[in-house]
Amino acid sequence: MEIKGEEAAYLMGANEPAKSSVLISNSRYLNNPRMRDIYAQMGLKRDSGDLPGAYLIPELNRAIAEEMDMPRLYELLAEEKARLPEFAQWLDAGFVSDWNACDLSGCAEGTVGATIRRFVEQSGMDIDFMFKDMPKDDFGYLLKRRVQNHDIEHMVTGLDPTPVGEIALIVANVVAISNYFIPEFAQMLSFQPLFLASTSLMRMNCHYPKAVPALLEGFALGYTLGMKQTKPLFMLRWEDHIHTAVSDVRRTLGFEDGPEPGAEHWNWTWDAAKG
């Protein structure tokens, strides 16, 4: 419904925005044409199935790269490393693994290792799907472990890789990161995930309203799970837990608030959020 007259004046106030022959703003993100375009596309588009769901991610990453102050990010990372001994120890250890080369055949059913083995066998997907080269610095290491842990987080938390589960896991990670790091560094680490979460909510409401309550449930569960973490999920070393029962890990890490793994809690949203 259009708002006119006194009601519009009440909302808009007395000040007028600056006038120019080009779009001008005090937000560098709004001033970036690529950022404006990709945000609008991802927030307003339909998911018709003609293209992969991640089709626009490379373009999104280009937009973010144009606006991310990388020298400042590295400066903040060094400051956080000095402030947080646990984070420094994790970075300096530099532990990485190759899940494709891991022998998980001896892992009993119900363990983390067996769950990972079944995922690889049934999906044919590569857990280590990005940043495959050995990291060259601390930030590269952080990114690599973030990717290596992603699918395992889905498996163990019960926040499945559905349109809702993906966003729920994003929220869990952002909350854990925000509670661990100073706000400026947390904002940089969470920029892309929150871009995806916010545009997903708008897209659902525009085109797939049946899935909106489920997505809000995902936000709530992700928040609750993230609040229980003592460190970011990307710092967890799942390689040490391959023989641990998934139920024990969920209880230890406070993942019980998520759906039971394999419960297909949000599977219906694959169809409800497409077309």
Side-chain angles (χ1 to χ4, degrees):
M1 180 179 296
E2 185 178 0
I3 301 175
K4 298 180 179 180
E6 293 182 1
E7 293 175 347
Y10 174 80
L11 295 172
M12 297 173 68
N15 294 337
E16 290 287 334
K19 292 181 173 60
S20 171
S21 58
V22 296
L23 175 65
I24 185 169
S25 165
N26 58 8
S27 165
R28 70 177 190 269
Y29 307 112
L30 185 58
N31 288 335
N32 184 314
R34 192 189 306 275
M35 184 72 72
R36 292 198 306 270
D37 179 69
I38 197 67
Y39 198 85
Q41 283 196 63
M42 295 188 74
L44 303 176
K45 75 182 183 75
R46 298 184 71 93
D47 286 326
S48 300
D50 55 328
L51 296 170
Y55 183 81
L56 291 173
I57 297 298
E59 185 71 0
L60 165 58
N61 284 357
R62 279 191 285 272
I64 293 173
E66 290 173 357
E67 297 303 329
M68 186 66 69
D69 185 346
M70 294 305 296
R72 179 58 176 162
L73 184 149
Y74 277 96
E75 180 182 344
L76 290 169
L77 190 153
E79 291 176 2
E80 289 296 81
K81 185 176 181 179
R83 185 178 71 90
L84 301 165
E86 179 186 35
F87 183 50
Q89 183 178 13
W90 177 78
L91 287 171
D92 290 340
F95 174 83
V96 296
S97 65
D98 182 356
W99 285 108
N100 293 321
C102 288
D103 181 8
L104 301 175
S105 59
C107 298
E109 283 303 311
T111 62
V112 171
T115 303
I116 296 171
R117 182 185 67 228
R118 184 163 52 252
F119 169 83
V120 173
E121 291 173 349
Q122 293 180 356
S123 71
M125 296 175 65
D126 188 350
I127 290 181
D128 198 11
F129 60 92
M130 285 181 65
F131 309 118
K132 294 186 177 184
D133 295 334
M134 288 299 294
K136 297 178 181 179
D137 53 35
D138 284 344
F139 184 58
Y141 175 68
L142 187 157
L143 292 177
K144 185 173 182 67
R145 288 303 284 176
R146 201 170 185 175
V147 169
Q148 282 194 324
N149 281 5
H150 178 78
D151 285 326
I152 301 171
E153 291 167 11
H154 276 305
M155 299 174 209
V156 180
T157 62
L159 305 177
D160 54 33
T162 61
V164 168
E166 286 285 2
I167 303 307
L169 187 57
I170 281 175
V171 173
N173 274 282
V174 168
V175 170
I177 286 170
S178 299
N179 286 339
Y180 193 77
F181 296 117
I182 62 170
E184 187 180 0
F185 188 54
Q187 181 264 350
M188 289 181 164
L189 295 183
S190 302
F191 195 98
Q192 192 220 42
L194 284 183
F195 190 109
L196 297 175
S198 60
T199 54
S200 291
L201 185 57
M202 191 69 244
R203 186 170 64 253
M204 292 280 195
N205 196 57
C206 284
H207 304 294
Y208 314 108
K210 181 179 178 181
V212 169
L215 186 57
L216 295 175
E217 178 194 24
F219 270 86
L221 288 176
Y223 176 84
T224 301
L225 187 152
M227 285 296 292
K228 292 184 177 182
Q229 305 312 303
T230 59
K231 58 186 175 184
L233 295 178
F234 61 71
M235 289 176 62
L236 295 175
R237 191 157 146 172
W238 294 106
E239 291 84 351
D240 294 340
H241 297 287
I242 59 173
H243 294 293
T244 305
V246 171
S247 57
D248 290 342
V249 173
R250 283 170 58 83
R251 183 168 53 253
T252 300
L253 296 178
F255 291 167
E256 314 99 301
D257 293 302
E260 281 294 322
E264 300 185 347
H265 183 67
W266 291 307
N267 258 19
W268 62 274
T269 63
W270 284 116
D271 294 327
K274 184 177 291 186

